[in-house]
Amino acid sequence: MASCRAVPSVLLVTSRLNVSRVFLRNLQNPKPFRISNRLMSSMDQQRVLVLGSGYVSEPVVEYLTRENNTHITLVSAVKTEAETLADKYQNTQAVILDVQQQQQDLEKLVKDNHLVISLLPYTLHPLVAEMCIRQKTNMVTASYKTPAMAQLHNRSGNHKMSFMGQ
């Protein structure tokens, strides 16, 4: 039986020469991997929608806010978690929202951002992915690819956008 191990990775967002690139970097092997499709706009202000304010969210927000031109909108149904996290980092605002109950509000946020990073439970990713496809907004998630997400991933390619998961 083959063994498996977790390999720590980090999402790197850079903007040089007006070309924004997103890399996944394996922390044990520092060579970056370029994602072939453009994930973010080359506008001055990069807008990233982070869904969820749990344990994994803080390292993501901390890393993304290292770039002064990145604005984070942190969405959570848990007001204290979202506001505490948003107060710790520059260019970060908390939006209190139940993604299942307030889908129209969520879709507007998806439309207004360049990238959606969903750190929600995996069962909510198809809901978010559908919105991302409609709004032509790129999406990253830390969850494994489920059959529902695989179908949506195929649809996203028709719109020249990227879906990235494990």
Side-chain angles (χ1 to χ4, degrees), residues 49-64:
L49 181 64
V50 176
L51 302 177
S53 62
Y55 183 73
V56 177
S57 301
E58 184 165 3
V60 171
V61 171
E62 185 277 327
Y63 185 82
L64 292 173

Side-chain angles (χ1 to χ4, degrees), residues 102-161:
Q102 296 171 280
Q103 292 182 22
Q104 287 182 322
D105 295 329
L106 177 60
E107 187 143 3
K108 181 177 180 340
L109 289 170
V110 167
K111 180 180 180 181
D112 292 343
N113 284 275
H114 299 111
L115 175 66
V116 174
I117 300 176
S118 180
L119 302 172
L120 298 170
Y122 79 95
T123 56
L124 296 174
H125 291 157
L127 170 73
V128 176
E130 284 280 356
M131 292 179 190
C132 289
I133 290 170
R134 281 194 298 271
Q135 300 304 326
K136 296 178 178 62
T137 303
N138 300 292
M139 179 179 171
V140 175
T141 178
S143 293
Y144 293 106
K145 188 188 261 187
T146 62
M149 286 299 289
Q151 282 185 326
L152 293 168
H153 184 270
N154 293 337
R155 283 183 42 209
S156 71
N158 297 334
H159 296 290
K160 295 186 178 179
M161 51 185 291

Side-chain angles (χ1 to χ4, degrees), residues 66-84:
R66 290 179 189 178
E67 294 284 329
N68 290 330
N69 67 337
T70 302
H71 181 269
I72 308 296
T73 301
L74 179 66
V75 172
S76 178
V78 183
K79 182 178 180 178
T80 55
E81 282 182 5
E83 289 177 348
T84 299

